[in-house]
Amino acid sequence: MPSSILKARSRLGVAARLGDKEAAQEARRDLAAAKIEDYVSRVVAEAPPLTPAQRDRIAALVKAGGAR
């Protein structure tokens, strides 16, 4: 498991134990982002090269927060 995921998960645990709701929310967001980054990195490493149009469509999805 990448260190970014481990760090975010640890921060979430600490915030939850301390009852810091704001820090826990931020840590949850960071944990989700770290998991997404790890997943995307693995998928891109296994996939054949994308065309510029494919990259643009995927980038637009990310920029829109996944909304279609």
Side-chain angles (χ1 to χ4, degrees), residues 36-61:
I36 292 167
E37 184 178 342
D38 178 57
Y39 177 76
V40 170
S41 294
R42 287 185 285 120
V43 169
V44 169
E46 296 172 3
L50 300 173
T51 67
Q54 290 168 327
R55 285 194 306 266
D56 290 344
R57 280 196 311 271
I58 294 168
L61 281 173

Side-chain angles (χ1 to χ4, degrees), residues 7-64:
K7 287 178 185 177
R9 193 168 66 180
S10 175
R11 284 185 38 236
L12 176 56
V14 170
R17 279 192 303 277
L18 296 176
D20 187 340
K21 292 181 181 181
E22 188 175 318
Q25 183 179 10
E26 183 179 331
R28 279 188 192 91
R29 184 178 51 242
D30 291 347
L31 179 56
K35 287 178 178 181
I36 292 167
E37 184 178 342
D38 178 57
Y39 177 76
V40 170
S41 294
R42 287 185 285 120
V43 169
V44 169
E46 296 172 3
L50 300 173
T51 67
Q54 290 168 327
R55 285 194 306 266
D56 290 344
R57 280 196 311 271
I58 294 168
L61 281 173
V62 172
K63 288 178 185 177

